[in-house]
Amino acid sequence: MKLRKRSIKLPREFYTRSSAVSIAQELLGKTLLSAIGGTITGGMIIETEAYEGPHDRACHAYQNRRTPRTEVMFGMGGHAYVYLCYGMHCLFNIVTGPQETAHAVLIRALLPEEGIEEMSKRRNKMTNLTSGPGTVCQALGITRRHSGSDLLQGPIWVEDRGFTVQTIEASPRIGIDYAGADALLPWRFTLALEKEKT
DNA sequence: ATGTCGATTTGCT
DNA sequence: GCAAATCGACATA
């Protein structure tokens, strides 16, 4: 038995707290991984956005709107919510909060770490492997089939690898101009990365 | 049944 | 910088 793990999968309790805004910030610096198609792929989360169900016009579950698509957001925190956007891109979110609290955090960008070769193949590129919410899904092999997947049991999960976050920047969310005043909320969080020299 | 539009990416002007 | 690509979810009739 190892005395200490270097990497710890985030526990259910991390996800079931009620503030998606807090969780969105705390997910920065954690590592998102997938084991789909036989290869582990993923990287450190560097950009997220919070969506808070009932009172957030930008959220698909605004006013607790329940549809087959949004149903998973009403489930327990720690599950995946994946949907198709613009007819061609899958976007990956982590459901947060307890049952009946339709909050979620959109994973917008990663720093590629694991399975870079496989991610390059899936993206058919060498660069910008996981630089946006659509590309993250493509690189990790995530599709709508994974909506509802449990991050504590399924092929997608998040680990704490001990990275210490120094500076978080907050800004308005992207692509939600239709949300009126809620479009101004500073619920997009990015990790300010120092220059990393080897 | 039909029309509108999106939590985006990419390539071309 | 702009617009096409592309389709399912949702609203309206």
Side-chain angles (χ1 to χ4, degrees):
Chain A
M1 235 2 223
K2 286 227 168 160
L3 295 180
R4 191 166 63 96
K5 284 187 182 174
R6 290 187 163 225
S7 225
I8 300 175
K9 188 185 282 193
L10 296 186
R12 179 74 64 196
E13 301 75 52
F14 179 91
Y15 302 109
T16 52
R17 292 166 296 147
S18 60
S19 169
V21 171
S22 302
I23 295 172
Q25 294 172 74
E26 291 171 35
L27 279 168
L28 294 175
K30 304 293 192 290
T31 299
L32 174 67
L33 297 162
S34 73
I36 295 167
T39 311
I40 292 183
T41 49
M44 188 168 73
I45 299 169
I46 57 174
E47 183 176 350
T48 61
E49 282 178 4
Y51 288 84
E52 295 210 341
H55 57 274
D56 178 4
R57 275 181 70 180
C59 185
H60 294 159
Y62 178 51
Q63 291 179 330
N64 280 327
R65 183 174 51 171
R66 280 183 114 108
T67 68
R69 183 176 66 150
T70 64
E71 187 61 33
V72 60
M73 275 203 277
F74 291 85
M76 198 182 342
H79 291 257
Y81 169 49
V82 186
Y83 68 93
L84 185 67
C85 189
Y86 293 104
M88 54 184 64
H89 302 292
C90 289
L91 273 62
F92 172 77
N93 302 250
I94 298 176
V95 175
T96 67
Q99 292 268 353
E100 302 305 313
T101 303
H103 293 181
V105 174
L106 171 69
I107 305 300
R108 289 192 61 88
L110 309 178
L111 195 63
E113 284 177 352
E114 301 285 338
I116 290 177
E117 193 179 331
E118 177 66 18
M119 293 196 289
S120 298
K121 250 190 247 171
R122 288 172 179 157
R123 293 270 299 122
N124 201 25
K125 291 190 169 221
M126 295 301 292
T127 57
N128 292 327
L129 296 181
T130 54
S131 56
T135 65
V136 165
C137 284
Q138 190 183 8
L140 301 213
I142 297 172
T143 68
R144 290 200 309 294
R145 295 205 327 275
H146 299 103
S147 200
S149 170
D150 188 350
L151 303 197
L152 276 89
Q153 300 186 54
I156 307 165
W157 70 96
V158 181
E159 291 181 1
D160 184 347
R161 294 188 164 182
F163 181 84
T164 302
V165 171
Q166 306 220 336
T167 309
I168 292 175
E169 290 173 0
S171 55
R173 293 172 291 177
I174 302 295
I176 52 153
D177 294 345
Y178 60 87
D182 289 343
L184 302 175
L185 294 169
W187 285 0
R188 172 190 182 214
F189 303 104
T190 55
L191 198 53
L193 289 175
E194 318 296 324
K195 264 192 186 170
E196 293 178 11
K197 304 222 167 166
T198 50

